[in-house]
Amino acid sequence: MPIHRIAVGTPREASHPDALRAALAEFISMLIFVFAGSGSGMAFNKLTDNASNTPSGLIAAALAHAFALFVAVSVGANISGGHVNPAVTFGALLGGNITLLRSILYWIAQLLGSVVACLLLKFSTGGWETPAFGLSSGVGAWNAVVFEIVMTFGLVYTVYATAVDPKKGNVGIIAPIAIGFIVGANILAGGAFDGASMNPAVSFGPAVVSWTWTNHWVYWLGPFIGAAIAALVYDNIFIASGGHEPLPTNDF
């Protein structure tokens, strides 16, 4: 990827009303996403006496996160682009779709949104803490890093294909639901092993509120590497090169 595609931005951008509105939209979208996603896990624990580590608990988590992310991306799309994920913002930065200064605003807003959502969950549930992400028995830190890389690659690749690609056409209409679906599917694949975060902010809020930082670095390193690979692949092969012309088809 040409380095000139990565823009730093100007200091004025940090205080520009559009940038501040976009950051606020990211804060609200993240709050909606984490409150519904993490809250569903807490509700499942309450209803099943802490039996969230079951097949039904995994399915419930996948559905809740898929639905919540669909909504969170949709409500922020026209204001901030609906990133709702520091890794997605990082991928957009590498593709030259957002400046570094605006990315920093987004990252701050996303992290704060997650923390506030977890604090609200703790208060409204009478003191329950949102469980921090952790590794399952037999899963090493580097195993989890690979999981996070692959899952986040799929997520950011989907974002590029359905929301960023200038050739997306009508596919852009389904971007929020496609993004929600890939997250739900990845939770079904990786949730039993490392929680399937794919999102540093989603991991950050529970870690702050419960003050649990064991292997927390996994949920930053993996998603950022996965996002970078997806951005580099899609931008260089399918956007910068113009992609391939579609094969001729016959009309019947």
Side-chain angles (χ1 to χ4, degrees):
M1 178 177 296
I3 193 67
H4 68 266
R5 295 287 301 278
I6 301 176
V8 175
T10 63
R12 292 181 57 188
E13 185 175 9
S15 59
H16 194 280
D18 285 344
L20 295 177
R21 279 193 290 266
L24 178 60
E26 285 295 305
F27 170 86
I28 294 172
S29 289
M30 183 60 74
L31 191 154
I32 291 171
F33 178 46
V34 174
F35 190 90
S38 295
S40 68
M42 296 168 69
F44 193 91
N45 279 341
K46 183 175 179 60
L47 293 172
T48 60
D49 193 22
N50 294 318
S52 59
N53 295 325
T54 60
S56 56
L58 184 64
I59 293 171
L63 289 174
H65 283 84
F67 292 158
L69 187 58
F70 166 47
V71 173
V73 170
S74 297
V75 299
N78 293 331
I79 307 168
S80 66
H83 292 190
V84 204
N85 187 334
V88 170
T89 301
F90 184 61
L93 170 66
L94 293 182
N97 299 291
I98 187 174
T99 66
L100 175 61
L101 288 179
R102 185 174 287 228
S103 295
I104 292 172
L105 285 177
Y106 279 26
W107 289 331
I108 294 171
Q110 291 159 352
L111 295 176
L112 286 176
S114 180
V115 171
V116 170
C118 292
L119 289 172
L120 288 172
L121 281 169
K122 183 175 182 178
F123 177 79
S124 56
T125 58
W128 281 42
E129 289 186 351
T130 50
F133 279 76
L135 311 184
S136 298
S137 176
V139 177
W142 289 105
N143 301 132
V145 167
V146 173
F147 250 117
E148 292 295 321
I149 289 173
V150 176
M151 291 186 294
T152 310
F153 173 88
L155 167 59
V156 176
Y157 191 89
T158 301
V159 170
Y160 260 83
T162 62
V164 176
D165 192 332
K167 306 183 299 297
K168 63 183 180 294
N170 292 332
V171 173
I173 298 173
I174 67 165
I177 196 167
I179 293 166
F181 277 3
I182 188 61
V183 166
N186 279 338
I187 289 174
L188 291 175
F193 298 95
D194 77 333
S197 170
M198 299 165 276
N199 189 327
V202 167
S203 306
F204 183 76
V208 169
V209 173
S210 65
W211 208 250
T212 303
W213 301 98
T214 304
N215 294 315
H216 183 71
W217 61 273
V218 165
Y219 302 103
W220 286 83
L221 182 63
F224 269 67
I225 293 176
I229 296 172
L232 291 169
V233 168
Y234 202 98
D235 189 75
N236 281 290
I237 297 177
F238 302 113
I239 295 180
S241 67
H244 297 289
E245 291 296 323
L247 294 173
T249 57
N250 295 320
D251 295 325
F252 294 97

